[in-house]
Amino acid sequence: MTKLLVAVALVVSLAARAADVADPSETAARAEHQVLVLLKLPPPHFRPDGSYSAGYADAQGSATRRGIAVALARSNGLALVTDWPMPLVGVDCYVMDVPAPLRAAEVAAQLARDARVAWAQPMNVFHPLGHDDPLFAMQPAAREWHLSEMHATATGKGVRVAVIDSNVQPDHPDLADQIAERASFIGSRSDPAERHGTAVAGIVAARADNGVGIAGVAPDARLLALRACRQAGDETVCTTLSIALAMHAAIDRDARVINLSLAGPADRLIEQLVRAALERGIGVVAAADRTLPSGGFPAALRGVVAVVDEGGGAAPAGMVAAPGSDVPTTVPISRWTVVTGASYAAAHVSGLLALMREARGNARAGEPIAAALAVGAGGRIDACASLVRAGAACACDCAAAGPMAASIAPR
Amino acid sequence: MRRGCGLAILLLAPAAHGQLTATIGVDSDYRYRGVSLSNSNPSPRLTANFEGAERWYAGASATSAALTEHDAYPQLTAYAGWLATTLDRTTVEIGVVGSHFVGSAGYDFVEGYVGLLAREWSARVYLSPDYYGRNVATAYVEANAHVPLDERARVFAHVGVLAPLQSAAGDAGKARGDVSVGAGIVVRGWDLHVAAIAATRGGPYPAVYNGRPATVVVGASLSF
C-alpha cells in the first residue's frame, strides 16, 4: 500500500514539476540560460523533538535551504524556477533562470564562490550518440554473441535495467510487460513515444518467443523506462537536471544496470550520481564517442563501461566494442526498424550486464559486475566469456574467446 | 550541564558551509518517551540547530517541563553529534545530549547515544549514568520508521524501551515501552503532524503513574 501511495504521489509530483517546454530546441535554448545551485543536504540526525514527528528535521532544513536559495537568486538577479532534493548525493538542487545579458557559466562561477553553496554549474545539454539510418534487418548479437545459447543459461530474469533516454513506448508488442516502472523527468507523461528510447529499450529487453519482432539481449530483465530526453525529428536533447533526476530515481528504485546512451560536456552533478551508482555495485554503461578523449562524458568516468560500435573498427584504449551497426529494434507506433550507433552498442552491453548479474546470483548482488566483462581482439566484448566469468556454467561456445579474452582495463 | 552550555556557545561560532535553522513549534502535549511532561497541556518549544560542514551537528532547545504535578521548570537541552557513513545507505551516528532544568538542577541529566540511520528508518541506543538525577543508570533503545509519501507528506512510526541498568525500588525498577504512529505534512512552510502515542506504566522516573498512558498529539512548527 505504501509503495502504491509513493508511486501515485511521485507521478503527481513529476507531472506538476517536470520542465514542460515545447520541443527539444526550446529545451536546449532554455537550458543555456539556467544554472544549477547545489546546497548541501545534511543527513537526518538526532533531534530532541524528533521522536514523535519523524521527518520534522527534513522539513526544517528544507525551509532553511530554500531561504538560502531565494536569497542567492535575489542577490544575483536570478529567478528561482524549481528545486529537487537529491539525498543520494547529499544535495538539494535549485534551478535558476539567468536573464540576458548574464552568461550562465559566469553566474555559476560567481555563485560557487559563496560559502553557503556546495557548488554551482551551468545546466548542460546532452545528446544521444548514433544514427537511426534504416538498413537491412538482421540482429548481429544473435550471430556474434550466440544469443540463443546464452539465453539457455541466463535471460536477465528479474534484473532491473534503467534506460535513461527519451520516451519509451510502453505498449509496443515487444515491450509490453517488460517495463517495471516509468517516469518522466522532462516534458509531459502524455507526450508520444520517442524513437531513441524505444530503440534502446528494445535492444536491452525486448520480449522473446512472442512471435513478433526481436529478442532483447536480456529478455527477462525488468526495464525502468526513465525519460530524461525529448525528441523531435532528428533532434534529441537531455539536460543536466533531467539526467540527474533520472539517475537518482534509477538508484532509488534498485536498478542493477543503468544505460546512458548519451553524451555531453563534463558535468559535476551527473558525475556524483554516477559515482553513487558505482559505489552501490550498479553497472553503469555509456555510449562513447571515438573522436573524444576516453569517449567523452559520461563514458570517460572511471568505472563506467564506455562502449563504441564495433562496426567502426577496433575500440580505442579504455573502451569496449559491441554490436551497434544495422541492429533491428523496436520503434514507436509498434514498429521495428534497423539502427546504427554507439547508443545501440551500449544497449547491448547493458543487456549483457543483466545476464551476468543473473548469473552471479543474489548472494553477490552488491558486487560490481562490469569488472567481469571479457574483451577480445580490438576491444570486442566476448559475451560468452563474460557470462562464464560472472559465474555461469555457460552452454554457449566460449572456445573462440577463452584464451584471448581479457578483463576490461580499469579506468 | 557544563557540557551542554558549551555546546550552546558553540552554536554561535561562525562556520563556512554550515546551516543554522531556528524552529518554533507547539504540540498539544509534550510527550517524552511516552510520558507527558506538560500535564497533558499544550507545550511550546524553540529549537536552534546547526549543521556543520564536516558531518557534525549541534543544537539547543528550550521548552517547559512539568516534573511534578504542580511544578514546571524551563528545560534547556543541548546536543551534539557526528555522522559517519560506514555501510551502504546507512549512517552511523554518535552523540551526546544533556538537559538542564532551570530552578531544579537536581533533575539535570546527560545521555550518550549511538545510532544507525537510513533514509526510511533509524535506530538508536541511549545510555544515561544518572537519568533525571534519580541515581538510576538507564538505557533507552528506539527504532523509528519514516516513509515519505511525496515531497510534503510522510507517515512515521516509533517504538522504544527504557530500562534501568541497576536495581531500583518499586515501579522504577521496571522497563517502560512507548510506541507511536503518525503522519505529517508541510503546508506553506508549516510542518503539521499528528501522532497516536502510548506507553506502558511504571519504569524509571518520570513515569506514567496517574496520567493517561495513551493520547493523540497534534503539533505545528515553523522554521526560518
Side-chain angles (χ1 to χ4, degrees), chain B residues 143-160:
Chain B
N144 306 288
H146 33 91
V147 179
L149 300 180
D150 65 9
E151 293 168 329
R152 299 188 308 139
R154 64 189 185 276
V155 293
F156 50 85
H158 160 90
V159 59

PDB file of all heavy atoms in Angstrom, chain B residues 143-160:
ATOM      1  N   ALA B 143      13.492   2.473  17.799  1.00  0.00           N
ATOM      2  CA  ALA B 143      13.508   2.257  16.347  1.00  0.00           C
ATOM      3  C   ALA B 143      12.432   3.139  15.745  1.00  0.00           C
ATOM      4  O   ALA B 143      11.330   3.256  16.290  1.00  0.00           O
ATOM      5  CB  ALA B 143      13.231   0.788  16.027  1.00  0.00           C
ATOM      6  N   ASN B 144      12.775   3.785  14.656  1.00  0.00           N
ATOM      7  CA  ASN B 144      11.848   4.715  14.015  1.00  0.00           C
ATOM      8  C   ASN B 144      11.755   4.401  12.526  1.00  0.00           C
ATOM      9  O   ASN B 144      12.759   4.067  11.890  1.00  0.00           O
ATOM     10  CB  ASN B 144      12.350   6.157  14.154  1.00  0.00           C
ATOM     11  CG  ASN B 144      12.634   6.525  15.591  1.00  0.00           C
ATOM     12  OD1 ASN B 144      11.726   6.690  16.385  1.00  0.00           O
ATOM     13  ND2 ASN B 144      13.924   6.609  15.942  1.00  0.00           N
ATOM     14  N   ALA B 145      10.553   4.507  11.989  1.00  0.00           N
ATOM     15  CA  ALA B 145      10.360   4.382  10.538  1.00  0.00           C
ATOM     16  C   ALA B 145       9.714   5.667  10.055  1.00  0.00           C
ATOM     17  O   ALA B 145       8.864   6.240  10.731  1.00  0.00           O
ATOM     18  CB  ALA B 145       9.462   3.193  10.218  1.00  0.00           C
ATOM     19  N   HIS B 146      10.154   6.148   8.919  1.00  0.00           N
ATOM     20  CA  HIS B 146       9.570   7.381   8.374  1.00  0.00           C
ATOM     21  C   HIS B 146       9.566   7.247   6.857  1.00  0.00           C
ATOM     22  O   HIS B 146      10.611   7.131   6.227  1.00  0.00           O
ATOM     23  CB  HIS B 146      10.345   8.616   8.820  1.00  0.00           C
ATOM     24  CG  HIS B 146      11.804   8.392   8.982  1.00  0.00           C
ATOM     25  ND1 HIS B 146      12.708   8.597   7.979  1.00  0.00           N
ATOM     26  CD2 HIS B 146      12.508   7.929  10.041  1.00  0.00           C
ATOM     27  CE1 HIS B 146      13.920   8.294   8.425  1.00  0.00           C
ATOM     28  NE2 HIS B 146      13.830   7.881   9.661  1.00  0.00           N
ATOM     29  N   VAL B 147       8.388   7.216   6.297  1.00  0.00           N
ATOM     30  CA  VAL B 147       8.238   6.956   4.867  1.00  0.00           C
ATOM     31  C   VAL B 147       7.648   8.193   4.193  1.00  0.00           C
ATOM     32  O   VAL B 147       6.515   8.581   4.497  1.00  0.00           O
ATOM     33  CB  VAL B 147       7.314   5.744   4.624  1.00  0.00           C
ATOM     34  CG1 VAL B 147       7.147   5.498   3.134  1.00  0.00           C
ATOM     35  CG2 VAL B 147       7.872   4.515   5.325  1.00  0.00           C
ATOM     36  N   PRO B 148       8.401   8.824   3.289  1.00  0.00           N
ATOM     37  CA  PRO B 148       7.818   9.961   2.570  1.00  0.00           C
ATOM     38  C   PRO B 148       6.777   9.486   1.574  1.00  0.00           C
ATOM     39  O   PRO B 148       6.991   8.509   0.860  1.00  0.00           O
ATOM     40  CB  PRO B 148       9.033  10.587   1.865  1.00  0.00           C
ATOM     41  CG  PRO B 148      10.025   9.490   1.769  1.00  0.00           C
ATOM     42  CD  PRO B 148       9.788   8.565   2.916  1.00  0.00           C
ATOM     43  N   LEU B 149       5.642  10.145   1.558  1.00  0.00           N
ATOM     44  CA  LEU B 149       4.609   9.829   0.568  1.00  0.00           C
ATOM     45  C   LEU B 149       4.814  10.661  -0.678  1.00  0.00           C
ATOM     46  O   LEU B 149       4.530  10.226  -1.785  1.00  0.00           O
ATOM     47  CB  LEU B 149       3.225  10.080   1.151  1.00  0.00           C
ATOM     48  CG  LEU B 149       2.890   9.265   2.402  1.00  0.00           C
ATOM     49  CD1 LEU B 149       1.487   9.594   2.886  1.00  0.00           C
ATOM     50  CD2 LEU B 149       3.010   7.772   2.117  1.00  0.00           C
ATOM     51  N   ASP B 150       5.270  11.871  -0.485  1.00  0.00           N
ATOM     52  CA  ASP B 150       5.721  12.721  -1.584  1.00  0.00           C
ATOM     53  C   ASP B 150       6.663  13.736  -0.957  1.00  0.00           C
ATOM     54  O   ASP B 150       7.172  13.515   0.130  1.00  0.00           O
ATOM     55  CB  ASP B 150       4.548  13.353  -2.353  1.00  0.00           C
ATOM     56  CG  ASP B 150       3.743  14.331  -1.513  1.00  0.00           C
ATOM     57  OD1 ASP B 150       4.176  14.654  -0.384  1.00  0.00           O
ATOM     58  OD2 ASP B 150       2.691  14.788  -1.976  1.00  0.00           O
ATOM     59  N   GLU B 151       6.874  14.857  -1.640  1.00  0.00           N
ATOM     60  CA  GLU B 151       7.832  15.821  -1.109  1.00  0.00           C
ATOM     61  C   GLU B 151       7.314  16.519   0.139  1.00  0.00           C
ATOM     62  O   GLU B 151       8.083  17.138   0.882  1.00  0.00           O
ATOM     63  CB  GLU B 151       8.152  16.868  -2.175  1.00  0.00           C
ATOM     64  CG  GLU B 151       8.889  16.279  -3.346  1.00  0.00           C
ATOM     65  CD  GLU B 151       8.941  17.253  -4.493  1.00  0.00           C
ATOM     66  OE1 GLU B 151       8.001  18.056  -4.644  1.00  0.00           O
ATOM     67  OE2 GLU B 151       9.911  17.222  -5.234  1.00  0.00           O
ATOM     68  N   ARG B 152       6.019  16.440   0.395  1.00  0.00           N
ATOM     69  CA  ARG B 152       5.469  17.185   1.530  1.00  0.00           C
ATOM     70  C   ARG B 152       4.928  16.291   2.627  1.00  0.00           C
ATOM     71  O   ARG B 152       4.900  16.689   3.787  1.00  0.00           O
ATOM     72  CB  ARG B 152       4.342  18.099   1.039  1.00  0.00           C
ATOM     73  CG  ARG B 152       4.787  19.141   0.013  1.00  0.00           C
ATOM     74  CD  ARG B 152       3.666  20.131  -0.278  1.00  0.00           C
ATOM     75  NE  ARG B 152       2.427  19.464  -0.639  1.00  0.00           N
ATOM     76  CZ  ARG B 152       1.221  19.828  -0.217  1.00  0.00           C
ATOM     77  NH1 ARG B 152       1.084  20.846   0.573  1.00  0.00           N
ATOM     78  NH2 ARG B 152       0.152  19.176  -0.595  1.00  0.00           N
ATOM     79  N   ALA B 153       4.441  15.130   2.292  1.00  0.00           N
ATOM     80  CA  ALA B 153       3.726  14.307   3.266  1.00  0.00           C
ATOM     81  C   ALA B 153       4.551  13.088   3.672  1.00  0.00           C
ATOM     82  O   ALA B 153       5.356  12.587   2.888  1.00  0.00           O
ATOM     83  CB  ALA B 153       2.389  13.864   2.685  1.00  0.00           C
ATOM     84  N   ARG B 154       4.334  12.622   4.866  1.00  0.00           N
ATOM     85  CA  ARG B 154       5.068  11.462   5.360  1.00  0.00           C
ATOM     86  C   ARG B 154       4.206  10.725   6.389  1.00  0.00           C
ATOM     87  O   ARG B 154       3.285  11.292   6.968  1.00  0.00           O
ATOM     88  CB  ARG B 154       6.376  11.907   6.033  1.00  0.00           C
ATOM     89  CG  ARG B 154       6.134  12.744   7.276  1.00  0.00           C
ATOM     90  CD  ARG B 154       7.406  13.367   7.826  1.00  0.00           C
ATOM     91  NE  ARG B 154       7.151  14.063   9.082  1.00  0.00           N
ATOM     92  CZ  ARG B 154       6.701  15.301   9.163  1.00  0.00           C
ATOM     93  NH1 ARG B 154       6.423  15.980   8.058  1.00  0.00           N
ATOM     94  NH2 ARG B 154       6.483  15.870  10.333  1.00  0.00           N
ATOM     95  N   VAL B 155       4.507   9.473   6.599  1.00  0.00           N
ATOM     96  CA  VAL B 155       3.954   8.713   7.718  1.00  0.00           C
ATOM     97  C   VAL B 155       5.134   8.196   8.517  1.00  0.00           C
ATOM     98  O   VAL B 155       6.236   8.044   7.981  1.00  0.00           O
ATOM     99  CB  VAL B 155       3.053   7.548   7.244  1.00  0.00           C
ATOM    100  CG1 VAL B 155       1.801   8.075   6.581  1.00  0.00           C
ATOM    101  CG2 VAL B 155       3.815   6.636   6.285  1.00  0.00           C
ATOM    102  N   PHE B 156       4.911   7.959   9.792  1.00  0.00           N
ATOM    103  CA  PHE B 156       6.038   7.536  10.614  1.00  0.00           C
ATOM    104  C   PHE B 156       5.552   6.667  11.774  1.00  0.00           C
ATOM    105  O   PHE B 156       4.371   6.658  12.126  1.00  0.00           O
ATOM    106  CB  PHE B 156       6.828   8.738  11.140  1.00  0.00           C
ATOM    107  CG  PHE B 156       5.986   9.805  11.798  1.00  0.00           C
ATOM    108  CD1 PHE B 156       5.639   9.711  13.130  1.00  0.00           C
ATOM    109  CD2 PHE B 156       5.529  10.895  11.071  1.00  0.00           C
ATOM    110  CE1 PHE B 156       4.868  10.690  13.739  1.00  0.00           C
ATOM    111  CE2 PHE B 156       4.751  11.884  11.661  1.00  0.00           C
ATOM    112  CZ  PHE B 156       4.422  11.778  12.998  1.00  0.00           C
ATOM    113  N   ALA B 157       6.481   5.945  12.338  1.00  0.00           N
ATOM    114  CA  ALA B 157       6.176   5.089  13.486  1.00  0.00           C
ATOM    115  C   ALA B 157       7.404   5.028  14.378  1.00  0.00           C
ATOM    116  O   ALA B 157       8.535   5.252  13.926  1.00  0.00           O
ATOM    117  CB  ALA B 157       5.791   3.685  13.011  1.00  0.00           C
ATOM    118  N   HIS B 158       7.173   4.755  15.633  1.00  0.00           N
ATOM    119  CA  HIS B 158       8.268   4.740  16.614  1.00  0.00           C
ATOM    120  C   HIS B 158       7.971   3.674  17.652  1.00  0.00           C
ATOM    121  O   HIS B 158       6.821   3.477  18.049  1.00  0.00           O
ATOM    122  CB  HIS B 158       8.365   6.124  17.276  1.00  0.00           C
ATOM    123  CG  HIS B 158       9.097   6.135  18.593  1.00  0.00           C
ATOM    124  ND1 HIS B 158      10.455   6.330  18.669  1.00  0.00           N
ATOM    125  CD2 HIS B 158       8.663   5.959  19.867  1.00  0.00           C
ATOM    126  CE1 HIS B 158      10.825   6.285  19.947  1.00  0.00           C
ATOM    127  NE2 HIS B 158       9.754   6.060  20.686  1.00  0.00           N
ATOM    128  N   VAL B 159       8.999   2.982  18.090  1.00  0.00           N
ATOM    129  CA  VAL B 159       8.878   2.092  19.249  1.00  0.00           C
ATOM    130  C   VAL B 159      10.145   2.232  20.081  1.00  0.00           C
ATOM    131  O   VAL B 159      11.250   2.368  19.539  1.00  0.00           O
ATOM    132  CB  VAL B 159       8.644   0.623  18.803  1.00  0.00           C
ATOM    133  CG1 VAL B 159       9.790   0.125  17.919  1.00  0.00           C
ATOM    134  CG2 VAL B 159       8.458  -0.283  19.995  1.00  0.00           C
ATOM    135  N   GLY B 160       9.978   2.291  21.393  1.00  0.00           N
ATOM    136  CA  GLY B 160      11.140   2.458  22.267  1.00  0.00           C
ATOM    137  C   GLY B 160      10.946   1.729  23.585  1.00  0.00           C
ATOM    138  O   GLY B 160       9.817   1.491  24.021  1.00  0.00           O
TER     139      GLY B 160
END
